[in-house]
Amino acid sequence: MGSPTQMTPFQDAVTKWISNLSPKKKKHGFVAFIISLDNHATAETVQEAVMQLERSSEDKASSKIMIKVLQPIITVLKDYYGVVDVLSNADPMPTAIIWGALKIVIDGCARFMGIYDTIKNELRGLKTQIERLTDYEDLYGDSTAMQGELSNSYINLLRFWHQINKECNRCTYPLTEISAISRATASFGTKKLQDILNDMQRDATNIERLAPIINARRQRHEREDADLERREAALERAAIKQERVEAFTWRQKQQDSIPGLRFREISTWLGAHLVTERNKRHHRDIIDARFDNTCDWLLELSLYKDWHSGQSADSIIWLSGGPGIGKSTLCSRAVEQQKHCGIPVAVHYCRFDEQITALQTVQSLSDQLLDYYWLRYKDIPERLYTCSQRSASDLENAQSFIELLVEEFVRRLESSVGTSESKQPSASRIYLFIDGLDGLAEERDMSALKEAKKVFNSLTKLVTAFPKNLRLWFSTRDESATRAYFEKHPQVDLQNHVEEDVAKYIGNSVLRIIDDLAFGDDVHEDEDEVRAYLFGELQRRAKDNFLFATLMIKRLQHEVGSFDEIIEFVQNGIPEDLEHEYKRIFERYSKFKLKYVTQVFSFVAFAKVPLRLEEIEELICMNSSANSTTIDRTKRLVRLPQLFAPLIEVREYCYEKHSSISKDLTCHLFHSSVKDFLIQNPRVVQDREDVKEDQCLLITNDAISKACISYLSQDRFAALLRKAALEDGTKSWITASGESINDHKLLTYAAKYWDKRE
């Protein structure tokens, strides 16, 4: 049995209005008409019926005659209204009674002549008001307070229609016009009609005031729902982490079996667990940072769908775009699609500040595919194990291994096509993703160019051997040198696609910022205009650059605290592009810290490998020492990380030491575009107005090599190191002055890279 239909505010108003009428009134006229409609009455149908009654009454011949005869007379008499008023007050009785009676007749006739105009004008205006009430009913149907106000409005509408019905029906009998005029001499009828109109106006005002309050409450509830979703997502991530821990425990138990032992030996032979873990961590960071409902357009793009489904004859797809456009995010979204479907997938994210060789790249891809193979089949083929007995430091051996692994994978996948194990269209394919292979366009670092070419050649050779079963993705910057490698393959130019995603991100972020500035149920009168203004300016300047949009949103969140400050931020705070934003950041540094700023950015940007915090501290101490042959650690810069944000990030770095995994903190430019900016603008600090001409504050690539040479030139390193026992019983290399090299944090880097610079 279905649940009873909920009454509309109009039906509720009808029920309440009729219940307050006497039984006698319910049997006649307008009330009886409303009751006869039962539950089918709507405001529109009743309005149309009352308007028809008004038109019929006005069109009666008697009404037209009365109006035609009376109107000229009343118009003339009203011109002498003042004279009549004086005569009625001045003349003695009984003449004053006659003049007073004439004054009453003039007033009554005037009201009689005007009542039809009033009714006609108000009925016409009611159409718009009823439409507005219907809109409010649709928009705020879930608000009890609004439903109550709407019900009151409809009750006053019913009163108004009822009064009109009375006035119009008075003209349906003989001599009614005369009686109507006599009744019009008293202002009771017109006053009652005006009182109803005043009540209706009050209802409209109450509804208009209530609507923004309801909107503010809804926005607060939406923010609470979003917070709940974030908490649920955190719980889900915790559950996934627990599943990974349990999976790791299960894998450990499998080590007792022969296949398990072989799997472990091959994993050790590949030696890619650190690189693989960095790729996984970077992938998770990108997924967590990706804004909802962005990047989904890629999965519907015909070029991508043809590549993914195998309909494309070319196994390679190339995504190109400028820095900050979202290439890595799109890559991670495509990888997640494969993982969700259980498809074998391996990904390598090339980072501009990490020197990963072609050998390490192939080994990491092999390591990821091997995990898939082992978890799915719990078996290690003999020839894979035999291949792993060769030298692990040879790229050709790594190439042979991944070719054998893909071949074994394809064989097993094709044998399972059509079974319950594999029902996806892409079930017999393997997907490899390489993001950020920008070394192909590297002109300054020939070693990076050499390794990038090796990666490209190795993987294109692999995909040529398995054109039907292997799909290969590259996402890089669109530069002329890079285009030479990919121009014959299908290309997705991101510049033509991502502006809508950037607009989504800006729009939702602006909405949250504006909502945070609206306290409680208070609504700023210019809130919509401010939101539209801010959104328009951010979108115009960000265009297709996610990085620029993200920086601006972060600035808004940290710097803006009121609607007036938003206006000022848009007018004076938003730069035209990313380069101007980076210049603004360097302008923000205090002039007393500029010497350290140039050193820190020179070291971090142009180091051959990411520097640890303690290494940067020693470099600064070395540069600040009065004696170039002795490091003065009293020159250590306090609160060094304060110079980092937002362009330098501190990350956890894992490395292998003494057969165990150790962790440290390393410093990185947060995006490759910062390094490009520093290369193109080495005088970004030097050209500040508050910098003196005799100061040298250039950000250059030779600053770190000079500091390393000075560091190695210290007297303590003049003699060969020797090994000796320390006070705690451990052995360590010590300097000529008897200090352990463990106390000299920069020594390893300086000794290895002092002669290398970009």
Side-chain angles (χ1 to χ4, degrees):
M1 182 176 180
S3 58
T5 305
Q6 186 177 1
M7 295 178 64
T8 65
F10 181 76
Q11 293 171 342
D12 179 63
V14 169
T15 302
K16 290 180 180 178
W17 181 64
I18 292 177
S19 65
N20 291 328
L21 297 176
S22 64
K24 181 178 179 181
K25 289 184 178 181
K26 295 179 182 179
K27 297 180 181 180
H28 302 288
F30 178 74
V31 181
F33 167 70
I34 294 294
I35 294 175
S36 68
L37 294 177
D38 197 12
N39 289 331
H40 302 294
T42 64
E44 290 80 3
T45 57
V46 177
Q47 165 76 358
E48 182 59 34
V50 173
M51 290 188 70
Q52 183 61 40
L53 176 64
E54 184 272 333
R55 286 192 293 269
S56 299
S57 177
E58 186 180 16
D59 291 342
K60 287 180 58 66
S62 56
S63 297
K64 291 181 178 179
I65 292 173
M66 291 294 294
I67 292 172
K68 183 177 181 181
V69 172
L70 279 177
Q71 190 156 359
I73 297 174
I74 296 304
T75 301
V76 173
L77 287 176
K78 290 200 74 172
D79 291 338
Y80 294 96
Y81 190 84
V83 177
V84 174
D85 189 44
V86 172
L87 291 174
S88 64
N89 291 325
D91 282 0
M93 296 287 289
T95 310
I97 296 175
I98 297 174
W99 289 116
L102 180 59
K103 177 184 175 184
I104 292 172
V105 170
I106 294 172
D107 288 340
C109 291
R111 281 194 292 271
F112 174 78
M113 297 302 300
I115 195 167
Y116 281 108
D117 290 337
T118 300
I119 290 172
K120 183 188 301 181
N121 293 336
E122 293 298 332
L123 281 175
R124 289 175 179 173
L126 274 186
K127 182 178 180 182
T128 302
Q129 185 172 346
I130 290 172
E131 291 175 353
R132 187 178 294 115
L133 290 175
T134 304
D135 291 339
Y136 279 120
E137 189 175 337
D138 292 338
L139 291 171
Y140 305 102
D142 57 344
S143 171
T144 304
M146 181 61 78
Q147 297 301 299
E149 291 294 340
L150 292 173
S151 179
N152 291 337
S153 296
Y154 283 129
I155 288 175
N156 286 324
L157 274 176
L158 290 166
R159 291 173 56 211
F160 178 70
W161 287 329
H162 188 209
Q163 189 65 27
I164 291 174
N165 183 72
K166 283 183 179 181
E167 297 297 335
C168 292
N169 283 334
R170 284 171 181 161
C171 299
T172 58
Y173 302 104
L175 300 178
T176 281
E177 285 76 7
I178 303 301
S179 61
I181 294 174
S182 65
R183 278 191 296 272
T185 57
S187 62
F188 177 76
T190 55
K191 182 178 183 301
K192 187 173 183 180
L193 191 63
Q194 187 60 48
D195 288 343
I196 295 173
L197 292 174
N198 292 339
D199 290 343
M200 291 167 62
Q201 181 61 42
R202 185 193 67 242
D203 292 337
T205 302
N206 290 341
I207 290 174
E208 290 177 359
R209 291 175 177 173
L210 182 59
I213 296 175
I214 296 174
N215 285 333
R217 288 173 179 166
R218 283 180 174 175
Q219 291 172 358
R220 182 183 62 192
H221 293 153
E222 288 173 358
R223 290 196 297 271
E224 292 172 352
D225 291 342
D227 291 340
L228 178 60
E229 289 179 3
R230 284 193 290 271
R231 289 194 294 270
E232 291 175 347
L235 292 174
E236 185 177 350
R237 287 195 296 271
I240 293 173
K241 182 178 180 180
Q242 180 62 28
E243 289 178 4
R244 288 200 300 267
V245 172
E246 293 174 356
F248 175 77
T249 304
W250 181 86
R251 286 196 298 269
Q252 288 294 101
K253 292 180 180 179
Q254 302 304 308
Q255 305 308 319
D256 296 334
S257 64
I258 293 178
L261 290 173
R262 288 186 171 183
F263 167 73
R264 186 176 181 180
E265 286 183 29
I266 295 176
S267 296
T268 303
W269 175 77
L270 287 171
H273 50 284
L274 288 179
V275 178
T276 299
E277 184 55 37
R278 287 178 208 169
N279 280 320
K280 289 181 178 179
R281 183 173 63 248
H282 190 56
H283 176 74
R284 290 194 298 269
D285 291 343
I286 295 174
I287 289 297
D288 291 341
R290 183 174 71 88
F291 193 76
D292 294 340
N293 301 321
T294 56
C295 301
D296 293 338
W297 61 267
L298 175 68
L299 308 185
E300 300 301 323
L301 190 66
S302 58
L303 195 64
Y304 172 82
K305 291 169 71 174
D306 290 344
W307 170 81
H308 181 265
S309 64
Q311 295 180 10
S312 171
D314 200 321
S315 301
I316 298 176
I317 191 171
W318 176 39
L319 270 77
S320 63
I325 203 170
K327 299 183 292 296
S328 298
T329 305
L330 283 164
C331 178
S332 66
R333 180 67 183 91
V335 171
E336 281 299 295
Q337 180 194 25
Q338 321 314 320
K339 288 185 175 182
H340 180 72
C341 298
I343 299 172
V345 58
V347 58
H348 180 74
Y349 294 96
C350 304
R351 292 191 56 84
F352 69 97
D353 56 354
E354 292 182 356
Q355 290 188 332
I356 303 297
T357 65
L359 174 62
Q360 291 174 305
T361 302
V362 174
Q363 287 173 335
S364 177
L365 295 174
S366 300
D367 188 50
Q368 295 174 60
L369 292 180
L370 182 65
D371 274 348
Y372 268 97
Y373 189 92
W374 172 250
L375 291 173
R376 180 171 294 191
Y377 303 116
K378 304 297 184 295
D379 182 36
I380 297 295
E382 183 68 29
R383 58 182 185 157
L384 277 182
Y385 182 70
T386 301
C387 185
S388 68
Q389 303 307 303
R390 304 172 187 172
S391 172
S393 59
D394 191 330
L395 178 58
E396 290 187 6
N397 292 339
Q399 182 75 22
S400 299
F401 180 83
I402 196 171
E403 288 177 1
L404 282 176
L405 179 56
V406 171
E407 184 179 340
E408 283 290 336
F409 228 141
V410 169
R411 181 181 63 81
R412 299 293 291 265
L413 289 172
E414 288 183 339
S415 65
S416 64
V417 171
T419 67
S420 58
E421 180 184 356
S422 180
K423 295 182 179 180
Q424 295 292 336
S426 52
S428 62
R429 281 187 287 278
I430 299 170
Y431 293 82
L432 301 181
F433 290 81
I434 306 295
D435 174 65
L437 194 64
D438 298 318
L440 293 173
E442 186 61 69
E443 298 177 352
R444 300 179 303 272
D445 191 341
M446 296 307 296
S447 63
L449 175 60
K450 181 179 178 181
E451 293 300 323
K453 286 182 177 180
K454 287 181 181 179
V455 171
F456 179 80
N457 293 333
S458 294
L459 296 181
T460 51
K461 177 183 177 183
L462 182 64
V463 81
T464 302
F466 304 95
K468 294 182 179 180
N469 304 99
L470 194 61
R471 302 276 111 175
L472 181 57
W473 161 302
F474 287 102
S475 44
T476 73
R477 296 189 185 186
D478 188 1
E479 299 181 8
S480 57
T482 307
R483 182 173 289 275
Y485 292 89
F486 297 107
E487 58 187 359
K488 66 179 182 180
H489 301 292
Q491 178 191 8
V492 179
D493 187 352
L494 299 184
Q495 189 174 4
N496 302 325
H497 296 281
V498 300
E499 280 198 32
E500 184 176 348
D501 276 357
V502 175
K504 283 182 185 178
Y505 168 70
I506 293 175
N508 284 277
S509 300
V510 166
L511 182 62
R512 287 199 299 269
I513 291 170
I514 296 295
D515 288 347
D516 289 341
L517 294 179
F519 296 100
D521 292 335
D522 296 333
V523 179
H524 194 276
E525 59 181 0
D526 298 325
E527 179 178 324
D528 292 337
E529 290 80 1
V530 172
R531 181 188 292 113
Y533 180 45
L534 177 58
F535 171 76
E537 287 300 309
L538 285 176
Q539 186 182 20
R540 179 179 68 83
R541 303 188 198 189
K543 298 178 183 176
D544 58 3
N545 195 301
F546 259 111
L547 178 62
F548 181 82
T550 302
L551 287 174
M552 292 302 99
I553 293 300
K554 287 182 178 179
R555 281 189 59 197
L556 276 167
Q557 292 170 339
H558 290 92
E559 298 178 14
V560 171
S562 67
F563 287 91
D564 292 337
E565 289 180 1
I566 287 180
I567 301 297
E568 183 179 353
F569 179 85
V570 173
Q571 293 175 346
N572 304 314
I574 304 181
E576 286 300 321
D577 52 32
L578 201 57
E579 181 178 343
H580 284 82
E581 173 62 9
Y582 289 157
K583 288 181 178 179
R584 185 201 67 82
I585 292 172
F586 280 98
E587 286 288 339
R588 189 188 62 184
Y589 286 108
S590 166
K591 66 178 181 179
F592 303 108
K593 296 182 179 180
L594 294 182
K595 178 179 70 172
Y596 301 113
V597 169
T598 56
Q599 292 181 43
V600 167
F601 278 93
S602 294
F603 299 154
V604 174
F606 299 107
K608 298 302 292 183
V609 295
L611 295 171
R612 293 174 296 170
L613 271 173
E614 51 198 16
E615 291 174 332
I616 297 177
E617 288 175 348
E618 291 228 324
L619 283 166
I620 292 177
C621 289
M622 192 69 241
N623 276 3
S624 303
S625 300
N627 186 349
S628 61
T629 60
T630 304
I631 187 170
D632 184 359
R633 287 193 169 85
T634 62
K635 301 295 185 179
R636 177 178 175 271
L637 182 61
V638 181
R639 298 175 183 172
L640 173 63
Q642 289 185 354
L643 301 179
F644 291 174
L647 301 182
I648 297 177
E649 298 176 339
V650 179
R651 302 176 191 155
E652 189 179 76
Y653 170 75
C654 299
Y655 60 97
E656 193 166 3
K657 183 178 182 181
H658 304 310
S659 301
S660 62
I661 303 301
S662 299
K663 296 182 179 180
D664 217 330
L665 297 178
T666 54
C667 303
H668 306 253
L669 296 178
F670 92 106
H671 195 269
S672 61
S673 60
V674 181
K675 185 172 183 178
D676 295 338
F677 170 80
L678 295 177
I679 292 172
Q680 296 167 10
N681 300 273
R683 298 178 59 89
V684 64
V685 177
Q686 184 74 50
D687 290 341
R688 282 181 39 156
E689 294 180 357
D690 55 354
V691 174
K692 298 178 181 178
E693 293 183 1
D694 58 345
Q695 288 181 282
C696 183
L697 297 176
L698 299 177
I699 298 176
T700 61
N701 63 348
D702 61 351
I704 188 169
S705 59
K706 290 180 179 179
C708 287
I709 293 173
S710 297
Y711 185 85
L712 295 174
S713 300
Q714 296 179 79
D715 294 338
R716 57 172 54 91
F717 300 131
L720 293 175
L721 300 176
R722 57 189 177 86
K723 206 161 193 178
L726 303 179
E727 293 180 357
D728 60 1
T730 61
K731 289 187 176 182
S732 173
W733 293 99
I734 62 174
T735 67
S737 56
E739 300 169 315
S740 170
I741 62 170
N742 296 332
D743 299 329
H744 299 276
K745 308 301 182 182
L746 185 63
L747 181 58
T748 302
Y749 179 91
K752 189 173 182 178
Y753 298 110
W754 67 271
D755 62 336
K756 298 177 178 64
R757 65 178 184 180
E758 297 189 7

